């Protein structure tokens, strides 16, 4: 089955009990046991709920794994997956992981005796060099946020296998429609379903999928033990969003691609980050390991004042934290997702005061371009238009 069909028919597309065209919201915390000797499939909703289970089965099928889990948020999924490790273990983590993941690792997990080393995961040799006798896992995010750096998943997974390390991939930006890390050798895939999978900026949720059953049993024990489960209503909302994932991403990606190429030519923009641009460092690896470039891009307008002028003048996008929704979202990484990062660290990663992230929604592409154009045209152009190299004179 191809993805478009699988997303609708891969698992129960109707309620097996009544035939209802959407799995009902089983708003129940506990389940009657007719025969104590022979308990039913469900007993208590933290341990299992039919609505949540339908979502868990769907994401497992789409990612090509054996077992799925739905959590109260992306961070609940991430923190629960890290509970697979024990005190004394060491994990190698991509240096530009999501800010909330960085905070969890450095402020919470560090108190549990689990060591973390951050590396530039786009360079496999740096990942290998960070391995210690205590290393048990590698945690990746590709493309990364907000400069869309691409990690070669197959190469890292191959190396990890040799050292018997668990590979965990946050697949939020591309979703299983464009990228399936388990097929490239990863062991666990994680999602903030708040983003593309939910897709409507109306629910906070997280998902995880394991490649094998034994790891699935371990993660089930953690999900049930820690209790950060997704509620039945939110599970239903995420499933509703999931049904249109392909259609939404097709449209958003087409717009993002068009806008990225247009911005790359615009005299008021110093640099564009989008893996669909041939000039992007990670373009070729991305083409090899993913079937699309996604709906997120970033662009640099050179300074905080210039960025502010854009945010003040655009009319269509909502200005907000988050991404992956039906409406186009513009965010300002230095003041939002990366506000807590020291300036030197930020600048090293290309997260400058002029950087703006755009997550393309379902609006008409030309309307979006026109709106960006009226905002950008008010800025003085750069003397030397530099699309690919990092230096530019600040206006
Ligand atoms: C938003 C996000 C998260 C965290 O998810 P929440 O649902 O907000 O808890 C994790 N990883 C990535 C890449 C994200 O964009």
């Amino acid at each position: 089955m191809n993805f478009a069909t699988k997303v609708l028919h891969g698992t129960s597309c109707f309620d097996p009990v009544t035939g209802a065209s959407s799995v009902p919201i089983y708003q129940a915390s506990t389940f009657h046991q007719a025969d104590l000797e022979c308990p039913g499939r469900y007993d208590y909703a933290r341990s299992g709920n039919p609505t949540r289970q339908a979502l868990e089965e769907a994401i497992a099928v789409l990612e090509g794994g054996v077992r799925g889990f739905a959590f109260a948020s992306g961070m609940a999924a991430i923190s629960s997956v890290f509970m697979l490790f024990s005190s004394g273990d060491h994990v190698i983590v991509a240096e530009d992981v999501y800010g909330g993941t960085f905070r969890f690792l450095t402020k919470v997990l560090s108190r549990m005796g689990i060591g973390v080393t951050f590396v530039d995961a786009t360079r496999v040799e740096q990942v290998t060099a960070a391995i210690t006798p205590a290393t048990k896992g590698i945690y990746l995010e590709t493309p990364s946020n907000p400069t869309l750096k691409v990690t070669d998943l197959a190469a890292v997974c191959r190396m990890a296998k040799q050292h018997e390390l668990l590979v965990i991939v946050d697949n939020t930006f591309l979703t299983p429609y464009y990228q399936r890390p388990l097929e490239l050798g990863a062991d666990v895939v994680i999602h903030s379903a708040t983003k593309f999978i939910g897709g409507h900026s109306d629910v906070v949720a997280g998902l995880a999928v394991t490649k094998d059953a034994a790891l699935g049993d371990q993660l089930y024990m953690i999900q049930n033990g820690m209790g950060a489960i997704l509620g039945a209503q939110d599970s239903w909302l995420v499933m509703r969003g999931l049904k249109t994932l392909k259609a939404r991403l097709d449209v958003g990606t087409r717009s993002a691609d068009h806008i990225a190429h247009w911005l790359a030519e615009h005299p008021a923009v110093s640099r564009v980050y989008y893996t669909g641009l041939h000039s992007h460092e990670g373009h070729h690896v991305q083409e090899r390991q993913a079937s699309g470039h996604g709906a997120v891009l970033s662009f640099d307008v050179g300074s905080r004042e210039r960025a502010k002028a854009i945010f003040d003048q655009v009319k269509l996008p909502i200005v907000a934290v988050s991404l992956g929704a039906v409406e186009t979202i513009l965010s300002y990484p230095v003041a939002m997702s990366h506000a807590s990062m020291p300036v030197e660290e930020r600048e090293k990663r290309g997260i400058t005061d002029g950087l703006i992230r755009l997550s393309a929604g379902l609006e008409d592409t030309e309307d979006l371009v026109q709106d960006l154009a009226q905002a950008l045209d008010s800025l003085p152009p750069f003397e030397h238009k530099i699309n690919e190299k990092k230096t530019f004179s600040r206006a």
Side-chain angles (χ1 to χ4, degrees):
M1 245 189 258
N2 289 309
F3 192 88
T5 313
K6 215 187 217 176
V7 81
L8 292 165
H9 299 283
T11 52
S12 44
C13 66
F14 54 82
D15 175 34
V17 180
T18 62
S21 59
S22 88
V23 175
I25 300 169
Y26 284 92
Q27 195 68 52
S29 62
T30 192
F31 299 82
H32 173 63
Q33 306 298 321
D35 180 351
L36 284 182
E37 302 290 311
C38 198
R41 180 162 183 193
Y42 303 100
D43 54 15
Y44 186 64
R46 169 163 39 71
S47 313
N49 172 287
T51 315
R52 192 178 86 227
Q53 190 181 332
L55 170 61
E56 295 178 329
E57 286 172 0
I59 192 63
V61 165
L62 295 177
E63 284 288 4
V66 300
R67 191 133 177 209
F69 301 91
F71 295 92
S73 68
M75 284 317 305
I78 291 165
S79 53
S80 296
V81 166
F82 267 99
M83 292 300 122
L84 290 167
F85 300 108
S86 304
S87 173
D89 288 351
H90 171 252
V91 187
I92 300 165
V93 179
E95 65 184 359
D96 45 5
V97 279
Y98 176 72
T101 306
F102 183 82
R103 181 171 49 217
F104 167 72
L105 295 175
T106 54
K107 299 263 158 66
V108 181
L109 204 71
S110 53
R111 293 194 281 104
M112 311 290 143
I114 297 171
V116 168
T117 301
F118 294 96
V119 299
D120 177 357
T122 65
R123 315 241 324 262
V124 185
E125 69 280 7
Q126 280 204 20
V127 183
T128 313
I131 295 174
T132 73
T135 306
K136 294 284 163 57
I138 301 174
Y139 185 94
L140 305 170
E141 204 177 301
T142 178
S144 68
N145 181 26
T147 58
L148 305 167
K149 280 162 65 178
V150 179
T151 295
D152 186 335
L153 289 175
V156 174
C157 290
R158 234 179 289 122
M159 185 280 289
K161 283 287 113 69
Q162 289 167 4
H163 295 85
E164 294 178 33
L165 307 179
L166 207 65
V167 179
I168 302 159
V169 180
D170 181 333
N171 202 26
T172 299
F173 270 43
L174 290 182
T175 84
Y177 176 33
Y178 288 143
Q179 177 170 276
R180 288 177 295 282
L182 300 183
E183 292 175 3
L184 299 169
D187 301 288
V188 184
V189 168
I190 296 179
H191 286 280
S192 167
T194 313
K195 316 294 166 56
F196 288 102
I197 289 180
H200 294 71
S201 302
D202 55 10
V203 61
V204 173
L207 299 168
V209 179
T210 63
K211 184 157 68 180
D212 75 59
L215 198 58
D217 289 344
Q218 276 185 55
L219 192 54
Y220 175 70
M221 190 271 290
I222 290 166
Q223 184 195 37
N224 193 31
M226 305 228 327
I229 50 153
L230 190 64
Q233 305 230 8
D234 286 348
S235 295
W236 187 89
L237 268 175
V238 172
M239 267 190 288
R240 181 179 162 119
L242 188 56
K243 290 179 187 184
T244 56
L245 175 67
K246 178 192 180 288
R248 286 184 286 105
L249 263 176
D250 281 342
V251 174
T253 300
R254 215 180 305 130
S255 261
D257 185 78
H258 182 85
I259 293 167
H261 283 86
W262 175 77
L263 286 171
E265 299 298 320
H266 199 286
V269 175
S270 68
R271 186 164 184 195
V272 180
Y273 299 87
Y274 185 63
T275 61
L277 296 176
H278 288 270
S279 51
H280 190 282
E281 262 180 319
H283 175 75
H284 293 291
V285 176
Q286 176 82 359
E287 293 258 299
R288 197 169 67 231
Q289 72 186 7
S291 59
H293 294 284
V296 179
L297 63 96
S298 296
F299 59 102
D300 203 321
V301 293
S303 70
R304 178 175 279 263
E305 295 68 40
R306 288 167 64 97
K308 184 170 183 327
I310 302 296
F311 283 103
D312 286 346
Q313 286 174 78
V314 289
K315 295 183 178 65
L316 290 178
I318 65 167
V319 175
V321 170
S322 200
L323 55 103
V326 287
E327 63 277 346
T328 294
I329 300 177
L330 270 195
S331 42
Y332 189 46
V334 298
M336 295 177 173
S337 52
H338 294 74
S340 60
M341 191 178 272
V343 184
E344 323 80 67
E345 291 293 314
R346 276 202 322 244
E347 300 259 329
K348 225 166 53 191
R349 292 164 170 78
I351 307 164
T352 57
D353 286 350
L355 194 72
I356 296 173
R357 190 185 72 196
L358 184 148
S359 165
L362 309 187
E363 299 90 342
D364 181 83
T365 309
E366 277 313 312
D367 288 344
L368 287 172
V369 167
Q370 267 183 34
D371 189 31
L372 287 168
Q374 60 83 23
L376 282 166
D377 289 346
S378 71
L379 299 180
F382 282 94
E383 247 173 60
H384 301 289
K385 164 82 184 148
I386 301 157
N387 188 31
E388 261 326 296
K389 290 307 150 202
K390 287 161 201 169
T391 49
F392 52 82
S393 53
R394 277 168 194 257

